[in-house]
């Protein structure tokens, strides 16, 4: 638990000062509960520290992979290469973090994210920007943290060559955005 507390304290240094004390305080309460033999109480306190950190952190996209298939969080088959036949679908797996929560109007928390794409040539020339090419909405009774986003791209019409796909993810429940990118090649 001390290493977890140390990790949270290190993260607290990089978030706004208003949240730093709250994250550290809640983590310390979790450690005290654990030392007192209250594992369930410690976990609840630790989740409070995690919630404070989550609210303070920016939106980010982790573990962006080109995949053959994706069936759930951490459940995917990574593609062997980034080379595609003309007209072949590009499938991306990603794990967003730091998103906000809205309400679905039925008493559930709702996660709502969308993605824009800009395709660049190998020389860096912008070939086109496409807004809201993918989105995900999840309603849940809890603040889910293990969320995956699967994005199916059709890049029909691109001639053979190497391309950079720059993405901008939007959190529909806040003003947070996150940039990420991946490279692809269309075989000739």
């Amino acid at each position: 638990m001390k290493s977890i507390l140390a990790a949270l304290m290190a993260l607290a240094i990089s978030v706004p000062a208003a949240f730093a004390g709250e994250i550290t305080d809640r983590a310390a309460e979790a450690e005290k509960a654990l030392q007192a033999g209250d594992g369930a109480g410690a976990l609840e306190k630790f989740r409070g520290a995690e919630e404070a950190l989550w609210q303070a952190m920016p939106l980010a996209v982790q573990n962006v992979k080109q995949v053959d298939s994706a069936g759930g969080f951490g459940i995917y088959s990574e593609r062997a290469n980034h080379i595609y036949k003309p007209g072949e679908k590009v499938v991306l797996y990603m794990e967003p973090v730091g998103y906000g929560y809205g309400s679905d109007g039925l008493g559930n928390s709702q996660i709502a994210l969308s993605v824009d794409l800009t395709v660049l040539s190998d020389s860096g020339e912008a070939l086109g920007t496409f807004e809201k090419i993918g989105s995900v909405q999840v309603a849940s009774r809890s603040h889910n943290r293990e969320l995956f986003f699967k994005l199916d791209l059709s890049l029909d019409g691109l001639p053979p060559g190497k391309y950079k796909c720059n993405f901008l993810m939007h959190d529909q429940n806040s003003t947070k955005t996150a940039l990420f990118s991946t490279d692809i090649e269309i075989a000739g």
Side-chain angles (χ1 to χ4, degrees):
M1 187 67 174
K2 287 184 181 181
S3 62
I4 294 172
L5 180 59
L8 275 175
M9 289 173 69
L11 286 171
I13 293 169
S14 65
V15 297
F19 288 98
E22 182 180 359
I23 295 166
T24 304
D25 292 347
R26 289 182 180 194
E29 290 172 8
E31 186 166 355
K32 285 179 189 174
L34 185 61
Q35 289 172 351
D38 182 9
L43 184 57
E44 189 62 33
K45 298 285 186 188
F46 189 77
R47 286 183 179 146
E50 180 185 37
E51 179 71 22
L53 173 64
W54 193 271
Q55 288 177 16
M57 69 185 292
L59 180 65
V61 182
Q62 300 179 323
N63 204 21
V64 177
K65 305 287 184 191
Q66 293 180 36
V67 300
D68 292 318
S69 63
F73 185 84
I75 303 169
Y76 58 88
S77 174
E78 191 166 355
R79 187 178 170 91
N81 61 50
H82 298 175
I83 302 170
Y84 297 84
K85 297 174 191 169
E88 185 178 2
K89 181 172 57 173
V90 177
V91 181
L92 296 179
Y93 168 93
M94 64 203 79
E95 298 169 358
V97 295
Y99 43 80
Y101 301 93
S103 173
D104 70 353
L106 301 172
N108 296 307
S109 293
Q110 184 167 24
I111 301 163
L113 303 166
S114 66
V115 176
D116 302 338
L117 165 66
T118 299
V119 179
L120 304 174
S121 69
D122 196 30
S123 65
E125 176 188 356
L127 302 176
T129 297
F130 310 91
E131 294 183 356
K132 294 188 178 180
I133 59 163
S135 63
V136 64
Q137 287 189 339
V138 176
S140 175
R141 293 280 179 195
S142 64
H143 284 184
N144 292 10
R145 304 271 195 269
E146 290 187 347
L147 176 72
F148 84 103
F149 191 131
K150 179 183 162 216
L151 184 62
D152 295 330
L153 295 175
S154 174
L155 299 176
D156 288 341
L158 282 180
K162 294 182 178 182
Y163 300 91
K164 178 177 278 303
C165 296
N166 288 341
F167 298 91
L168 180 62
M169 182 173 283
H170 300 270
D171 180 359
Q172 304 300 311
N173 294 312
S174 73
T175 59
K176 296 178 180 182
T177 59
L179 295 168
F180 63 99
S181 65
T182 192
D183 295 323
I184 64 161
E185 182 176 342
I186 305 296

XYZ file of all heavy atoms in Angstrom, residues 8 61 66 84 95 127 163:
65
model
N 0.434 7.680 -5.954
C -0.612 8.702 -5.956
C -0.054 10.071 -5.580
O -0.444 11.084 -6.145
C -1.740 8.319 -5.005
C -2.797 7.400 -5.578
C -3.800 7.001 -4.505
C -3.514 8.020 -6.744
N -5.587 9.445 -24.258
C -5.904 8.191 -24.944
C -4.680 7.301 -24.847
O -3.607 7.647 -25.335
C -6.303 8.429 -26.414
C -6.681 7.119 -27.082
C -7.448 9.429 -26.509
N -3.504 -0.770 -33.647
C -4.187 -1.235 -34.847
C -4.428 -2.719 -34.628
O -3.509 -3.456 -34.303
C -3.341 -0.957 -36.075
C -3.208 0.549 -36.328
C -2.383 0.880 -37.538
O -2.422 0.184 -38.536
N -1.636 1.978 -37.451
N -2.009 -1.916 -45.314
C -3.365 -2.302 -45.695
C -3.502 -2.370 -47.215
O -2.871 -1.587 -47.938
C -4.381 -1.289 -45.148
C -4.385 -1.238 -43.639
C -3.477 -0.455 -42.939
C -5.272 -2.012 -42.911
C -3.462 -0.437 -41.550
C -5.276 -1.991 -41.525
C -4.360 -1.209 -40.858
O -4.351 -1.194 -39.492
N -7.864 3.152 -25.301
C -8.390 3.235 -23.941
C -8.338 4.688 -23.465
O -7.294 5.174 -23.037
C -7.565 2.342 -23.015
C -7.634 0.872 -23.393
C -6.628 0.004 -22.654
O -5.825 0.525 -21.848
O -6.638 -1.219 -22.900
N -4.679 16.094 -46.029
C -5.477 15.633 -47.162
C -6.973 15.736 -46.895
O -7.769 15.732 -47.832
C -5.117 14.183 -47.493
C -3.643 13.939 -47.829
C -3.387 12.455 -48.049
C -3.238 14.753 -49.058
N 0.814 7.246 -44.630
C -0.039 8.310 -44.110
C 0.034 8.367 -42.593
O 0.283 7.362 -41.936
C -1.501 8.080 -44.526
C -1.688 8.051 -46.016
C -1.608 6.850 -46.712
C -1.899 9.219 -46.726
C -1.748 6.811 -48.093
C -2.053 9.196 -48.103
C -1.968 7.993 -48.778
O -2.101 7.967 -50.141
